[in-house]
Amino acid sequence: MITFFLNGQEVSEHNIQPDMTVLRYLRTRQSLTGTKEGCGSGDCGACSVLAGEMHNGEWHYRAINSCITFLAQIDGKSLITVEALANGSELHPAQQAMVDKHGSQCGFCTPGIIMSLTALFENTPSDKTFTLHEIYDALSGNLCRCTGYKPIIDAAKSMKSYPGKVKAEIWTPSSTSPSNKGETSNEEGQSWSARTESELKEILAHHPDARIVAGATDLALEVTQMNRRINKLVAINQIDSLKTISEDANYITIGGAASLTDCEKVLEAHFPEFAQLLERFAARQVRNNGTMGGNIANASPIGDAPPVLIALNADIEIAGANGNRWIPLDTFYLDYKKTLLQTGEYIRAIRIPRREACEHLKVYKISKRIEDDISAVLLAIKVKVQGGQITAVRTGFGGMAAIPKAGAAIEAALINQPMTVETFRKAGEKASEDFQPFSDVRATAGYRIQVTQGLLEKAALEILNPESVSRVEQIFTTTLSAKDVVNTYDPQENNNA
Amino acid sequence: MRKLIDVEDNKRMRPAKGKTGESMKHESAAKQVAGTAVYVDDMPELPNTLHVAVGGSQYAHAFIKSMDLSAVEKAPGVVKIITVKDVPGHTDIGPVFPGDPVLVESECEYIGQPIFAIAAETHEQAKAAVGLAQIQYKELEPTLTVDKAMKDQFFVRPTHSHQRGDADKALSDSEHVISADFYVKGQEHFYLEGQISTVVPTEDGGMDVFTSSQHPTEVQKLVAEVLDISINKVNVEVRRMGGGFGGKETQAAPLACIASLLAHHTKRPVKYRMSRGDDMIMTGKRHAFQNDYKVGFNEQGLIQGAVINVAGQCGNSPDLSDAIVDRAMFHSDNAYYLNNATITGYRCKTHTVSATAYRGFGGPQGVITAELMMDDIARHLGEDPLTIRKRNLYGVKHDSMRLEDGSIDPRNETHYGQTVEQEVLPELISQLEESSEYWKRREEIKQFNANSAFLKKGLALTPVKFGISFTVQFLNQAGALVHVYTDGSIQVNHGGTEMGQGLYVKVAQVVANEFQVDLDTIQVTATRTDKVSNTSPTAASSGSDLNGMAARDACLRIKAGMIKYAAELHGTSEDKIRFESNHVVAVKADGEEVWTPFAEFTQNAYMARVPLFSSGHYQTPKIHYDRNTGKGRPFYYFANGASVSEVIVDTLTGEYKVTRVDILQDVGASLNPAIDIGQIEGAYIQGMGWLTTEDLVWSDNGRLLSNGPATYKIPAVGDTPIDFRVKLMEQLPNKEETIYRSKAVGEPPFMLGISAWSALRDAVSSMAEYKFSPPMNAPATPECVLNAVNETRKHIANS
């Protein structure tokens, strides 16, 4: 049986199809049709709801895509849907601001927008105003086709000026005690919500064919997009030991089921370039559910974390019935969607060596759209520069091959060379030695190679001009002037001029 | 008799609130934010409701050799399977011309074309079962590109031309002649609410249809036809759509037809909701166009003549393509006097899903060709593109440009013979170039670009002149039904549909204005074919023009009876009765004013047996067009606007950002400024999306690869310009007698997004000192922009 709160009321379910999504459950079992299906793939945000987790006696709410969240993942949580926010005609500030700023037209995306704005409102101290950057971040997973977003941004900016929240009781239900393994079943199969690794191992020992789900942000697409059924499902997103984030003298260690959102703080402290990537990695709702371990285990050639982790020389800890082992991530991928992971095994943790002095990390994602898109190319490069020479280099590439991997020829062209644009330009010429990418819906092979070369050049320019604005996604002003940007490819040119 | 009702007395003795011209909120806003606004999929399902999934062709062009549906039949939950043999009535549901089989009999013409449909107990069961069909095909060679269709002269409708003067002679007489070709892709509507219909069989052998459609009357007619029953047995209701944009003008009907067929056979309610993937594969999109121009001009850049070809990729059937390619032709001049012009439109047939209506209806693909031409002329002459645009605007006279009789050419006649009577753009552009500081920013951008290694800024001002009216004349009519109740509350119903554009609140404001009562006393009800019949689609930006006038007509008829009654009651003449401040005011012969609260007045009128409801009708005057000669006045008037976009481009990767946008739009005397501004902002972003990130990609065998939001990227929140300024042109009522002199706003601003595309090209052009116009098709994805950078570098290397 799983138990959770729905708009403040405790609900228990035991007879449930194992791959039942939260959205389907809300609409068909609870007649809560305010939450909409726009795409069924977690790309539009119309299905956004808030999921609360209890930490240190307090509920913390985040927006998630209910269309790609399984009900099994909700065990022990507190769900809030759009219907619960208003108290009769008294609207939540997010709702009232949207009405006053004309933020809805067709209204179909609106409930999802409201939930994202509510998460922003509720998670920000009352005296703080939002920056444009924070507003973009909160709404990065909500598509609107009618308004062009301007009135929605205006609503976000103004909602703090409304009197506080209404209906306080829905936000703070009393906690429940976890039920045994959160097991549900029906004639089609079973699902579990494991609370400890030993529970997980026990379930896997009896059901080695059970699909392990942490965030479900990719796995759920099998159900919602490919009409496949998952008859055995074990959710690991409530296992505390898999969500721990720690650091010691040598490593930053991230639990395999820690959400990408949970990783933000530690990455910001140690690898701000990686933290910055997360903004383009996926939308806020996806980062709230999706995990670093899932992104690795999923083994997609266009997953964004693996190339960066390869460039950072990360290791992963694999756990299973036969005990635990650490392996370097760059040995994990065997072929397209094939890894070292055996049936019944899971990624327990990821550890990243601490950064050394004189090490530069540059991470780039190229996609058609800046927010919530999938990489055409992901390039990560770590270079150590001492006395104007490159003394160490490590790369990781996504979208360039069947697996995420380093570029050996590119690295060879950089090592022990002077830290100049010319060096990186020459290294770029090696791109087609390392990679023979595909042409697909996201980009042609030619573009992937050329953009790799362009990004290597840009990496050099950024290292040599650390104060300059060099990426369009970082521009939040209309007053950018020549003094803010890189003026020339070659500093020598300036001297000669 | 019981007292009719307690009426509010004089509390509303003040000017009515919410009349036209005020920024009232969308009528559903409070419900939408609370999640209580009901869309078709949210309606409580009746017991026994069945769910539909449809099996489509796996080949772009093939004959069906054999079909084995036994596994589908045996799948859990499946109740009924139908093929075309199970259709009692018409099997072709083409909206204007035949070509759209409700279910394919033998020849499949695009991947996803419906072949069979099933009804199952749940949506998931239906989706799972549909994949079990065994269909054998005989593959045929598909036509998948405009190029191939043009080569083979493979068209869905005949080619058509507009001609004014002698373009060929003008070209040979011109000092400068340039030419270019250009390809612009289609666009997925991506309404957030996918296509859906729920139908319930009635006791009369008819069907009640709840659908998300811009054209309930057509749904009604087609459902009747496929079932072989009379139209009066079908009722269609549309309360609201979760977005339409043209995608639910003809594309909603197949769902209603298929659901009705299954309901007819099972005698059960049936819901057909398309998944996003099915919706993107199986329903039509904006037409891709392959266009080219050859233009002659003088040293000042004034156009002497132009030959323009526009070739629309229509997909497998005519659908609305005849009118869509016509509109592309009508708009190939955009805002510019072409003088001598030959414009030819081709309707290419391809084995892809039939392209359909989409905001602008072919207009944008014509307009962008004109704007491409303007940029190219400017760079050819080394002038700023804005200078060239202004010189060529309709109605801008030049002393050197004279007619044969020596008089100055008024330069205000289009290539299809309509005179541009209200010349708005010269003044509008002049205001916008000043408010946006175009020239100051142009200089700053040049400075920036000269001192920036790889980030380049671009700037462009592009205008829009958009013809308002359906070019098919009979569609320019509308009906409405207004009821006044004895508590003074009013219900209004009309043939227009609400898809988010704010039509319902605008029409309600018209009614509030007519009776001078508060907007909150007016209830707009769902569009239903049994309330107002024989309606036109809510399309062509015409919603408030047509339905606002029809509602006004209904109000005037009710008021006429009320006025007659009041005049008799107070012993005064009819011209002494007026509606003011929620009251009916009678001025007696002695000059005394009698103020009766509106509610009390309606009670009294009812008791005196005065009719308090009426229908209303409207037909657009003045319009005519002879398609044989390609001449006439197809448009009642033009809506105008202009935008200035500034972008920044990364020439190492092709990535970019639109940083600032300034818009000035002519909406006449606005019915609701807030709603109009919302339309303009949204249209700009949608137009920008069409030309930037929204990239429809098809495989070599005709399969849509960008078939979901993971691969098809509409603008997200971060794509909103950092600085986005939208203003309405002030004090410029429509010269024509439209509803309170307002102008249509739905489609025209879509084309303002073209300035973003033009600015991207401007940024790349800066690499060659603005002397080279880089070829750049649309959408200008980062890859497409980087290709333009490559072409520019090649040009620099070669010159």
PDB file of all heavy atoms in Angstrom, chain A residues 27 36 104 106 145 149 369 444 447 458 480 486-487, chain B residues 32 39 42 189 451 453 457 650 653 694 714-715 783:
ATOM      1  N   ARG A  27      -6.670  12.509 -12.973  1.00  0.00           N
ATOM      2  CA  ARG A  27      -7.777  12.804 -13.891  1.00  0.00           C
ATOM      3  C   ARG A  27      -8.845  11.715 -13.899  1.00  0.00           C
ATOM      4  O   ARG A  27     -10.034  12.023 -14.006  1.00  0.00           O
ATOM      5  CB  ARG A  27      -7.252  13.043 -15.307  1.00  0.00           C
ATOM      6  CG  ARG A  27      -6.430  14.328 -15.441  1.00  0.00           C
ATOM      7  CD  ARG A  27      -6.011  14.582 -16.889  1.00  0.00           C
ATOM      8  NE  ARG A  27      -7.164  14.742 -17.760  1.00  0.00           N
ATOM      9  CZ  ARG A  27      -7.800  15.880 -17.976  1.00  0.00           C
ATOM     10  NH1 ARG A  27      -7.383  16.994 -17.399  1.00  0.00           N
ATOM     11  NH2 ARG A  27      -8.841  15.919 -18.778  1.00  0.00           N
ATOM     12  N   LYS A  36      -3.682  19.243 -16.599  1.00  0.00           N
ATOM     13  CA  LYS A  36      -3.915  18.915 -18.012  1.00  0.00           C
ATOM     14  C   LYS A  36      -2.807  18.045 -18.600  1.00  0.00           C
ATOM     15  O   LYS A  36      -1.646  18.142 -18.193  1.00  0.00           O
ATOM     16  CB  LYS A  36      -3.990  20.201 -18.848  1.00  0.00           C
ATOM     17  CG  LYS A  36      -4.909  21.270 -18.330  1.00  0.00           C
ATOM     18  CD  LYS A  36      -6.361  20.837 -18.289  1.00  0.00           C
ATOM     19  CE  LYS A  36      -7.257  21.974 -17.818  1.00  0.00           C
ATOM     20  NZ  LYS A  36      -8.551  21.501 -17.360  1.00  0.00           N
ATOM     21  N   SER A 104      -3.448  34.510 -18.917  1.00  0.00           N
ATOM     22  CA  SER A 104      -4.009  33.321 -19.565  1.00  0.00           C
ATOM     23  C   SER A 104      -4.791  33.741 -20.798  1.00  0.00           C
ATOM     24  O   SER A 104      -5.462  34.767 -20.789  1.00  0.00           O
ATOM     25  CB  SER A 104      -4.937  32.567 -18.606  1.00  0.00           C
ATOM     26  OG  SER A 104      -6.096  33.315 -18.322  1.00  0.00           O
ATOM     27  N   CYS A 106      -5.768  30.921 -23.897  1.00  0.00           N
ATOM     28  CA  CYS A 106      -6.582  29.703 -24.065  1.00  0.00           C
ATOM     29  C   CYS A 106      -6.732  28.985 -22.747  1.00  0.00           C
ATOM     30  O   CYS A 106      -7.675  28.240 -22.544  1.00  0.00           O
ATOM     31  CB  CYS A 106      -6.014  28.793 -25.142  1.00  0.00           C
ATOM     32  SG  CYS A 106      -4.794  27.588 -24.584  1.00  0.00           S
ATOM     33  N   ARG A 145       1.583  28.696 -25.683  1.00  0.00           N
ATOM     34  CA  ARG A 145       1.577  28.975 -27.118  1.00  0.00           C
ATOM     35  C   ARG A 145       0.856  30.280 -27.433  1.00  0.00           C
ATOM     36  O   ARG A 145       0.932  30.759 -28.551  1.00  0.00           O
ATOM     37  CB  ARG A 145       0.900  27.810 -27.836  1.00  0.00           C
ATOM     38  CG  ARG A 145       1.042  27.801 -29.353  1.00  0.00           C
ATOM     39  CD  ARG A 145       2.469  27.888 -29.830  1.00  0.00           C
ATOM     40  NE  ARG A 145       2.661  27.247 -31.119  1.00  0.00           N
ATOM     41  CZ  ARG A 145       3.763  27.405 -31.859  1.00  0.00           C
ATOM     42  NH1 ARG A 145       4.745  28.190 -31.437  1.00  0.00           N
ATOM     43  NH2 ARG A 145       3.905  26.782 -32.994  1.00  0.00           N
ATOM     44  N   TYR A 149       4.528  34.746 -23.234  1.00  0.00           N
ATOM     45  CA  TYR A 149       5.112  34.723 -21.880  1.00  0.00           C
ATOM     46  C   TYR A 149       5.203  36.077 -21.178  1.00  0.00           C
ATOM     47  O   TYR A 149       5.364  36.139 -19.968  1.00  0.00           O
ATOM     48  CB  TYR A 149       6.514  34.081 -21.864  1.00  0.00           C
ATOM     49  CG  TYR A 149       6.555  32.696 -22.412  1.00  0.00           C
ATOM     50  CD1 TYR A 149       6.961  32.448 -23.716  1.00  0.00           C
ATOM     51  CD2 TYR A 149       6.154  31.610 -21.645  1.00  0.00           C
ATOM     52  CE1 TYR A 149       6.980  31.157 -24.232  1.00  0.00           C
ATOM     53  CE2 TYR A 149       6.174  30.315 -22.145  1.00  0.00           C
ATOM     54  CZ  TYR A 149       6.589  30.100 -23.446  1.00  0.00           C
ATOM     55  OH  TYR A 149       6.620  28.829 -23.957  1.00  0.00           O
ATOM     56  N   ARG A 369      16.922  25.225 -28.982  1.00  0.00           N
ATOM     57  CA  ARG A 369      16.332  26.155 -28.028  1.00  0.00           C
ATOM     58  C   ARG A 369      17.175  26.127 -26.765  1.00  0.00           C
ATOM     59  O   ARG A 369      17.733  25.093 -26.420  1.00  0.00           O
ATOM     60  CB  ARG A 369      14.894  25.716 -27.724  1.00  0.00           C
ATOM     61  CG  ARG A 369      14.086  26.737 -26.958  1.00  0.00           C
ATOM     62  CD  ARG A 369      12.642  26.290 -26.802  1.00  0.00           C
ATOM     63  NE  ARG A 369      12.528  25.182 -25.875  1.00  0.00           N
ATOM     64  CZ  ARG A 369      11.436  24.434 -25.722  1.00  0.00           C
ATOM     65  NH1 ARG A 369      10.370  24.672 -26.462  1.00  0.00           N
ATOM     66  NH2 ARG A 369      11.414  23.451 -24.852  1.00  0.00           N
ATOM     67  N   THR A 444      22.870  18.234 -38.306  1.00  0.00           N
ATOM     68  CA  THR A 444      23.591  17.403 -39.271  1.00  0.00           C
ATOM     69  C   THR A 444      24.968  17.071 -38.695  1.00  0.00           C
ATOM     70  O   THR A 444      25.462  17.722 -37.769  1.00  0.00           O
ATOM     71  CB  THR A 444      23.791  18.132 -40.604  1.00  0.00           C
ATOM     72  OG1 THR A 444      24.616  19.279 -40.364  1.00  0.00           O
ATOM     73  CG2 THR A 444      22.476  18.566 -41.224  1.00  0.00           C
ATOM     74  N   TYR A 447      27.340  20.053 -39.011  1.00  0.00           N
ATOM     75  CA  TYR A 447      27.185  21.076 -37.977  1.00  0.00           C
ATOM     76  C   TYR A 447      27.822  20.611 -36.681  1.00  0.00           C
ATOM     77  O   TYR A 447      28.484  21.382 -35.985  1.00  0.00           O
ATOM     78  CB  TYR A 447      25.699  21.368 -37.766  1.00  0.00           C
ATOM     79  CG  TYR A 447      25.429  22.386 -36.668  1.00  0.00           C
ATOM     80  CD1 TYR A 447      25.753  23.731 -36.852  1.00  0.00           C
ATOM     81  CD2 TYR A 447      24.845  22.010 -35.467  1.00  0.00           C
ATOM     82  CE1 TYR A 447      25.505  24.668 -35.852  1.00  0.00           C
ATOM     83  CE2 TYR A 447      24.585  22.937 -34.466  1.00  0.00           C
ATOM     84  CZ  TYR A 447      24.916  24.264 -34.662  1.00  0.00           C
ATOM     85  OH  TYR A 447      24.671  25.180 -33.682  1.00  0.00           O
ATOM     86  N   LYS A 458      36.099  28.743 -28.673  1.00  0.00           N
ATOM     87  CA  LYS A 458      35.482  29.579 -27.651  1.00  0.00           C
ATOM     88  C   LYS A 458      36.043  29.267 -26.260  1.00  0.00           C
ATOM     89  O   LYS A 458      36.260  30.172 -25.445  1.00  0.00           O
ATOM     90  CB  LYS A 458      33.964  29.387 -27.649  1.00  0.00           C
ATOM     91  CG  LYS A 458      33.281  30.306 -26.656  1.00  0.00           C
ATOM     92  CD  LYS A 458      31.808  30.056 -26.569  1.00  0.00           C
ATOM     93  CE  LYS A 458      31.103  30.621 -27.784  1.00  0.00           C
ATOM     94  NZ  LYS A 458      29.728  31.026 -27.443  1.00  0.00           N
ATOM     95  N   LEU A 480      24.561  45.407 -23.561  1.00  0.00           N
ATOM     96  CA  LEU A 480      25.881  44.813 -23.745  1.00  0.00           C
ATOM     97  C   LEU A 480      26.704  45.676 -24.704  1.00  0.00           C
ATOM     98  O   LEU A 480      26.254  45.985 -25.808  1.00  0.00           O
ATOM     99  CB  LEU A 480      25.699  43.409 -24.330  1.00  0.00           C
ATOM    100  CG  LEU A 480      26.870  42.463 -24.224  1.00  0.00           C
ATOM    101  CD1 LEU A 480      27.028  42.005 -22.779  1.00  0.00           C
ATOM    102  CD2 LEU A 480      26.637  41.256 -25.135  1.00  0.00           C
ATOM    103  N   VAL A 486      34.521  39.674 -25.922  1.00  0.00           N
ATOM    104  CA  VAL A 486      35.843  39.437 -26.492  1.00  0.00           C
ATOM    105  C   VAL A 486      35.965  40.268 -27.769  1.00  0.00           C
ATOM    106  O   VAL A 486      35.130  40.165 -28.665  1.00  0.00           O
ATOM    107  CB  VAL A 486      36.029  37.935 -26.822  1.00  0.00           C
ATOM    108  CG1 VAL A 486      37.401  37.697 -27.431  1.00  0.00           C
ATOM    109  CG2 VAL A 486      35.828  37.097 -25.571  1.00  0.00           C
ATOM    110  N   ASN A 487      36.980  41.108 -27.814  1.00  0.00           N
ATOM    111  CA  ASN A 487      37.086  42.035 -28.947  1.00  0.00           C
ATOM    112  C   ASN A 487      37.775  41.437 -30.164  1.00  0.00           C
ATOM    113  O   ASN A 487      37.522  41.829 -31.292  1.00  0.00           O
ATOM    114  CB  ASN A 487      37.822  43.311 -28.527  1.00  0.00           C
ATOM    115  CG  ASN A 487      37.088  44.033 -27.423  1.00  0.00           C
ATOM    116  OD1 ASN A 487      37.650  44.334 -26.380  1.00  0.00           O
ATOM    117  ND2 ASN A 487      35.806  44.276 -27.626  1.00  0.00           N
TER     118      ASN A 487
ATOM    119  N   GLN B  32      -9.668  29.676 -15.390  1.00  0.00           N
ATOM    120  CA  GLN B  32      -8.456  29.034 -15.924  1.00  0.00           C
ATOM    121  C   GLN B  32      -7.370  28.908 -14.864  1.00  0.00           C
ATOM    122  O   GLN B  32      -6.720  27.869 -14.757  1.00  0.00           O
ATOM    123  CB  GLN B  32      -7.945  29.834 -17.134  1.00  0.00           C
ATOM    124  CG  GLN B  32      -8.853  29.681 -18.354  1.00  0.00           C
ATOM    125  CD  GLN B  32      -8.601  30.720 -19.420  1.00  0.00           C
ATOM    126  OE1 GLN B  32      -8.061  31.789 -19.169  1.00  0.00           O
ATOM    127  NE2 GLN B  32      -8.985  30.410 -20.648  1.00  0.00           N
ATOM    128  N   TYR B  39     -12.506  21.905 -20.387  1.00  0.00           N
ATOM    129  CA  TYR B  39     -12.193  21.581 -21.785  1.00  0.00           C
ATOM    130  C   TYR B  39     -12.840  20.225 -22.080  1.00  0.00           C
ATOM    131  O   TYR B  39     -13.267  19.524 -21.150  1.00  0.00           O
ATOM    132  CB  TYR B  39     -10.676  21.544 -21.979  1.00  0.00           C
ATOM    133  CG  TYR B  39     -10.037  22.883 -21.653  1.00  0.00           C
ATOM    134  CD1 TYR B  39      -9.814  23.272 -20.334  1.00  0.00           C
ATOM    135  CD2 TYR B  39      -9.718  23.791 -22.660  1.00  0.00           C
ATOM    136  CE1 TYR B  39      -9.286  24.504 -20.015  1.00  0.00           C
ATOM    137  CE2 TYR B  39      -9.175  25.033 -22.360  1.00  0.00           C
ATOM    138  CZ  TYR B  39      -8.961  25.395 -21.037  1.00  0.00           C
ATOM    139  OH  TYR B  39      -8.436  26.619 -20.734  1.00  0.00           O
ATOM    140  N   ASP B  42     -12.149  17.302 -20.043  1.00  0.00           N
ATOM    141  CA  ASP B  42     -12.442  17.447 -18.609  1.00  0.00           C
ATOM    142  C   ASP B  42     -13.909  17.174 -18.279  1.00  0.00           C
ATOM    143  O   ASP B  42     -14.273  17.093 -17.099  1.00  0.00           O
ATOM    144  CB  ASP B  42     -12.118  18.874 -18.137  1.00  0.00           C
ATOM    145  CG  ASP B  42     -10.676  19.269 -18.420  1.00  0.00           C
ATOM    146  OD1 ASP B  42      -9.845  18.357 -18.565  1.00  0.00           O
ATOM    147  OD2 ASP B  42     -10.395  20.479 -18.502  1.00  0.00           O
ATOM    148  N   HIS B 189       1.094  23.656 -35.214  1.00  0.00           N
ATOM    149  CA  HIS B 189       0.323  24.612 -34.407  1.00  0.00           C
ATOM    150  C   HIS B 189       0.694  24.538 -32.933  1.00  0.00           C
ATOM    151  O   HIS B 189       0.766  25.539 -32.245  1.00  0.00           O
ATOM    152  CB  HIS B 189      -1.178  24.338 -34.546  1.00  0.00           C
ATOM    153  CG  HIS B 189      -1.668  24.416 -35.962  1.00  0.00           C
ATOM    154  ND1 HIS B 189      -1.583  23.364 -36.832  1.00  0.00           N
ATOM    155  CD2 HIS B 189      -2.234  25.426 -36.651  1.00  0.00           C
ATOM    156  CE1 HIS B 189      -2.091  23.726 -37.995  1.00  0.00           C
ATOM    157  NE2 HIS B 189      -2.488  24.971 -37.918  1.00  0.00           N
ATOM    158  N   ASN B 451      33.886  45.859 -33.006  1.00  0.00           N
ATOM    159  CA  ASN B 451      34.796  45.594 -31.895  1.00  0.00           C
ATOM    160  C   ASN B 451      34.470  44.305 -31.143  1.00  0.00           C
ATOM    161  O   ASN B 451      34.870  44.135 -29.995  1.00  0.00           O
ATOM    162  CB  ASN B 451      34.771  46.766 -30.915  1.00  0.00           C
ATOM    163  CG  ASN B 451      35.380  48.001 -31.534  1.00  0.00           C
ATOM    164  OD1 ASN B 451      36.570  48.027 -31.810  1.00  0.00           O
ATOM    165  ND2 ASN B 451      34.551  48.991 -31.794  1.00  0.00           N
ATOM    166  N   ALA B 453      34.609  40.110 -31.414  1.00  0.00           N
ATOM    167  CA  ALA B 453      35.228  39.065 -32.223  1.00  0.00           C
ATOM    168  C   ALA B 453      34.199  38.128 -32.835  1.00  0.00           C
ATOM    169  O   ALA B 453      34.203  37.903 -34.038  1.00  0.00           O
ATOM    170  CB  ALA B 453      36.215  38.272 -31.379  1.00  0.00           C
ATOM    171  N   LYS B 457      25.688  41.772 -33.292  1.00  0.00           N
ATOM    172  CA  LYS B 457      24.304  42.207 -33.111  1.00  0.00           C
ATOM    173  C   LYS B 457      23.652  42.497 -34.461  1.00  0.00           C
ATOM    174  O   LYS B 457      24.334  42.886 -35.412  1.00  0.00           O
ATOM    175  CB  LYS B 457      24.249  43.471 -32.249  1.00  0.00           C
ATOM    176  CG  LYS B 457      24.605  43.241 -30.784  1.00  0.00           C
ATOM    177  CD  LYS B 457      24.435  44.534 -29.992  1.00  0.00           C
ATOM    178  CE  LYS B 457      24.782  44.336 -28.523  1.00  0.00           C
ATOM    179  NZ  LYS B 457      24.582  45.583 -27.754  1.00  0.00           N
ATOM    180  N   ASP B 650      25.927  34.395 -32.007  1.00  0.00           N
ATOM    181  CA  ASP B 650      27.242  33.814 -31.745  1.00  0.00           C
ATOM    182  C   ASP B 650      27.716  33.174 -33.049  1.00  0.00           C
ATOM    183  O   ASP B 650      27.205  32.125 -33.454  1.00  0.00           O
ATOM    184  CB  ASP B 650      27.107  32.769 -30.625  1.00  0.00           C
ATOM    185  CG  ASP B 650      28.438  32.123 -30.268  1.00  0.00           C
ATOM    186  OD1 ASP B 650      29.382  32.181 -31.084  1.00  0.00           O
ATOM    187  OD2 ASP B 650      28.524  31.546 -29.168  1.00  0.00           O
ATOM    188  N   THR B 653      28.932  29.395 -33.066  1.00  0.00           N
ATOM    189  CA  THR B 653      28.004  28.268 -32.920  1.00  0.00           C
ATOM    190  C   THR B 653      26.697  28.458 -33.673  1.00  0.00           C
ATOM    191  O   THR B 653      25.951  27.502 -33.861  1.00  0.00           O
ATOM    192  CB  THR B 653      27.628  28.073 -31.431  1.00  0.00           C
ATOM    193  OG1 THR B 653      26.917  29.242 -30.991  1.00  0.00           O
ATOM    194  CG2 THR B 653      28.855  27.857 -30.564  1.00  0.00           C
ATOM    195  N   GLU B 694      11.543  26.524 -34.493  1.00  0.00           N
ATOM    196  CA  GLU B 694      10.533  25.497 -34.807  1.00  0.00           C
ATOM    197  C   GLU B 694      10.867  24.830 -36.130  1.00  0.00           C
ATOM    198  O   GLU B 694      10.592  25.356 -37.192  1.00  0.00           O
ATOM    199  CB  GLU B 694       9.145  26.136 -34.846  1.00  0.00           C
ATOM    200  CG  GLU B 694       8.717  26.641 -33.478  1.00  0.00           C
ATOM    201  CD  GLU B 694       7.293  27.165 -33.464  1.00  0.00           C
ATOM    202  OE1 GLU B 694       6.442  26.589 -34.146  1.00  0.00           O
ATOM    203  OE2 GLU B 694       7.042  28.160 -32.771  1.00  0.00           O
ATOM    204  N   ILE B 714       8.974  24.890 -29.711  1.00  0.00           N
ATOM    205  CA  ILE B 714       8.303  26.195 -29.760  1.00  0.00           C
ATOM    206  C   ILE B 714       8.999  27.100 -28.741  1.00  0.00           C
ATOM    207  O   ILE B 714       9.688  26.622 -27.843  1.00  0.00           O
ATOM    208  CB  ILE B 714       6.789  26.076 -29.475  1.00  0.00           C
ATOM    209  CG1 ILE B 714       6.516  25.703 -28.022  1.00  0.00           C
ATOM    210  CG2 ILE B 714       6.132  25.068 -30.412  1.00  0.00           C
ATOM    211  CD1 ILE B 714       5.052  25.876 -27.611  1.00  0.00           C
ATOM    212  N   PRO B 715       8.861  28.411 -28.872  1.00  0.00           N
ATOM    213  CA  PRO B 715       9.563  29.285 -27.932  1.00  0.00           C
ATOM    214  C   PRO B 715       9.217  28.964 -26.470  1.00  0.00           C
ATOM    215  O   PRO B 715       8.070  28.671 -26.146  1.00  0.00           O
ATOM    216  CB  PRO B 715       9.068  30.684 -28.320  1.00  0.00           C
ATOM    217  CG  PRO B 715       8.732  30.566 -29.764  1.00  0.00           C
ATOM    218  CD  PRO B 715       8.164  29.169 -29.920  1.00  0.00           C
ATOM    219  N   GLU B 783      21.976  26.034 -36.514  1.00  0.00           N
ATOM    220  CA  GLU B 783      22.708  25.430 -37.633  1.00  0.00           C
ATOM    221  C   GLU B 783      22.533  26.246 -38.915  1.00  0.00           C
ATOM    222  O   GLU B 783      23.492  26.485 -39.652  1.00  0.00           O
ATOM    223  CB  GLU B 783      22.225  23.990 -37.858  1.00  0.00           C
ATOM    224  CG  GLU B 783      22.875  23.365 -39.078  1.00  0.00           C
ATOM    225  CD  GLU B 783      22.744  21.846 -39.144  1.00  0.00           C
ATOM    226  OE1 GLU B 783      22.245  21.249 -38.184  1.00  0.00           O
ATOM    227  OE2 GLU B 783      23.182  21.284 -40.148  1.00  0.00           O
TER     228      GLU B 783
END
